[in-house]
Amino acid sequence: MGKGKDINYRKITYRYQLFKDLMDHIPDVIYFKDRKGRLTMVNQAHAKGLGLKPEQVAGKTDFDFFPRKRAEKMARDDFYVMNTGKPIIDKVERATRPDGVDNYVSTTKIPRYDENGRVIGLVGITRDITQRMQLKYLEDNQAHIKKKLEALEELNKLKSEFVSAVSHELRTPLAIIKDSVGL
């Protein structure tokens, strides 16, 4: 092998290893689909979530793993991306994993192009954001409770002022009645 070819081969091998490291170790679900919605490649996290190995997922569609309604929704998004060439970025939705666990996910889907600029499929990344959504819910709930507490404090202040004013106004007539009774 010539020196130029050897350097080029090492660059390709290095890039492949970087890609493999990403696909094997990132916790997010990463997948590639063709124009028909078939999974052509998935990472370890995606396959693990399905209880399979990546090579067992290749060639299948979402309909092979998810309930029909969920798979139809995913397919609509896929075909939107592939037919318009427009990505879907950070679509947050509630989902049910194949193992039955409910969670929240953020999904990004971008079109894949061939060398002639035609859309040939898509690349998708899905991240479990359940903890982020739970934290947001707690923060929203805390703000709601804080507003209610402030309103109750204001009502308590108004009540105290009212009782003070009423007791002041009743003191004088009661003193006159007391003196009259004493006579």
Side-chain angles (χ1 to χ4, degrees), residues 76-114:
R76 274 193 303 274
D77 287 348
D78 292 351
F79 291 117
Y80 168 82
V81 169
M82 290 186 280
N83 291 332
T84 66
K86 295 178 183 177
I88 293 174
I89 309 281
D90 193 29
K91 180 179 182 180
V92 175
E93 57 192 335
R94 190 170 182 165
T96 302
R97 297 187 327 212
D99 62 7
V101 174
D102 281 341
N103 62 352
Y104 285 91
V105 295
S106 165
T107 300
T108 294
K109 296 179 180 187
I110 58 171
R112 260 188 79 226
Y113 297 94
D114 67 9

Side-chain angles (χ1 to χ4, degrees), residues 117-131:
R118 291 183 301 244
V119 176
I120 59 170
L122 65 80
V123 179
I125 301 174
T126 300
R127 172 175 284 172
D128 186 330
I129 60 166
T130 304
Q131 288 182 330

Side-chain angles (χ1 to χ4, degrees), residues 30-168:
I30 300 176
Y31 50 92
F32 297 82
K33 291 182 179 179
D34 65 15
R35 288 280 303 176
K36 293 183 179 178
R38 289 183 303 240
L39 293 153
T40 58
M41 182 179 191
V42 301
N43 69 338
Q44 291 290 338
H46 192 331
K48 183 180 176 186
L50 297 171
L52 301 169
K53 294 185 180 341
E55 56 274 8
Q56 294 173 303
V57 178
K60 298 197 163 101
T61 70
D62 293 325
F63 290 92
D64 295 312
F65 306 111
F66 297 97
R68 183 162 195 77
K69 281 188 177 186
R70 175 90 178 115
E72 286 172 350
K73 192 174 187 183
M74 294 162 79
R76 274 193 303 274
D77 287 348
D78 292 351
F79 291 117
Y80 168 82
V81 169
M82 290 186 280
N83 291 332
T84 66
K86 295 178 183 177
I88 293 174
I89 309 281
D90 193 29
K91 180 179 182 180
V92 175
E93 57 192 335
R94 190 170 182 165
T96 302
R97 297 187 327 212
D99 62 7
V101 174
D102 281 341
N103 62 352
Y104 285 91
V105 295
S106 165
T107 300
T108 294
K109 296 179 180 187
I110 58 171
R112 260 188 79 226
Y113 297 94
D114 67 9
E115 60 278 351
N116 297 318
R118 291 183 301 244
V119 176
I120 59 170
L122 65 80
V123 179
I125 301 174
T126 300
R127 172 175 284 172
D128 186 330
I129 60 166
T130 304
Q131 288 182 330
R132 183 188 338 164
M133 295 302 289
Q134 289 170 339
L135 180 61
K136 182 178 178 347
Y137 172 78
L138 291 174
E139 289 170 348
D140 291 348
N141 199 26
Q142 181 182 18
H144 182 70
I145 290 170
K146 186 176 178 182
K147 283 181 183 179
K148 280 188 171 184
L149 185 59
E150 288 170 355
L152 287 172
E153 287 172 350
E154 182 63 26
L155 284 173
N156 194 35
K157 181 180 168 190
L158 288 171
K159 178 198 67 133
S160 295
E161 289 173 1
F162 175 75
V163 169
S164 178
V166 168
S167 68
H168 177 73

